[in-house]
Amino acid sequence: MIWKQKEKDEKQKTEKQKTEKQEMGRKASEYPQVYVMKKNAMMRFLRVVLWVMLAFVFVRGVVSCLQRDSAQEARQIIHDFRDEFASYKDDSEELMGFSQNFAREYLTYERRREDDYARRIRPYVSDDLYSQAASLTDFQGKATAVYVKAYRKESYSEDQYDVFVLADVAYEPAEKNGKEAETETEGSIRNRTVTLKVPVYTENGKYVVEGIPMIVNDSMKITGYSAPAFMGTAITDGRSGLIEEAVTSFLSAYYEQDQNVIEYYLTRSADRAKFRGLSGRYGFDKLEQIRCYETENGILCLVDFRVTDAENGSHLLQSVNLSVMADGNRYYIQDMNTKTGHL
């Protein structure tokens, strides 16, 4: 009986050990699988991160290249435009200057000085025109171009232009005396305005007057223009007297006083560069008219007044618009412009 019990215990012990071994084997076989799974997941994550980083670097590189190319292209366009504009400006200024210098010599002549006249216009005219120098005028009396200004050009063709030149010419006519001899009349100088249309040909940056200039009547004025009057809410209450006083004091300082006195009448934000005074070159004479209006930005004053020229005592009419700002019961100037109509 005891033996059977002992055999049974041995059998149970053996089975228990066998079960434990199987369990340990099963767990041992599961650990590598779990490790491999965790390892594979980590590698996938690292690969994703790596590819994201590579993609980011690639995109940044492409964007940087595009930006660099765009910036370089923009800089090149700006550079080319500046060169073209400078070249155009230089060519235009040279053409206008050439025509202006020619007009000065062309409109200046003197009796019995035909050779001098031909010599002076020769640097500007074609050979054909130079050969006609003696017949361009009959050299009666004396003319002197005291002012010339080329102000406009018209393109006739790719290489041909008509340049308009305004000139102020002093004429001294010749009259015959009792002996039928021509003499220049002293004290009879008259100034007249002349407008020339000068035909100029250009080639490789050089110029030549290719034909006889034409005397024309030219005007760049807009005809029939009248500046629309400013429409606003006029100030007619007690402020008008204080504003007029402030404006009068400012104008008197602007024409006659030092800069620090002028700035006393300005607001803190006023552009001081616009208020450089005349330091007594002209004197403030009197206020002719002032009209003040309420605006969104403060007060607008349209002012007519007279100043005195210190050189000859002449009284000149002036007209400005002033932006005025209130500070309590005091008024200060914010801005000053020439427009009193079409605001």
Side-chain angles (χ1 to χ4, degrees), residues 96-131:
M96 303 290 270
F98 177 86
S99 304
Q100 183 172 293
N101 293 338
F102 162 74
R104 178 180 290 107
E105 304 300 342
Y106 176 77
L107 292 171
T108 299
Y109 53 86
E110 189 173 354
R111 194 165 63 92
R112 294 191 298 272
R113 299 293 299 274
E114 292 86 346
D115 292 342
D116 175 69
Y117 182 77
R119 177 186 59 79
R120 287 186 289 106
I121 69 169
R122 185 168 191 173
Y124 304 98
V125 300
S126 65
D127 292 341
D128 292 339
L129 191 56
Y130 173 69
S131 65

Side-chain angles (χ1 to χ4, degrees), residues 23-39:
E23 183 68 21
M24 289 178 65
R26 183 181 65 78
K27 290 182 177 180
S29 63
E30 288 178 354
Y31 288 156
Q33 184 177 0
V34 173
Y35 173 75
V36 170
M37 290 178 63
K38 288 183 177 179
K39 183 178 180 181

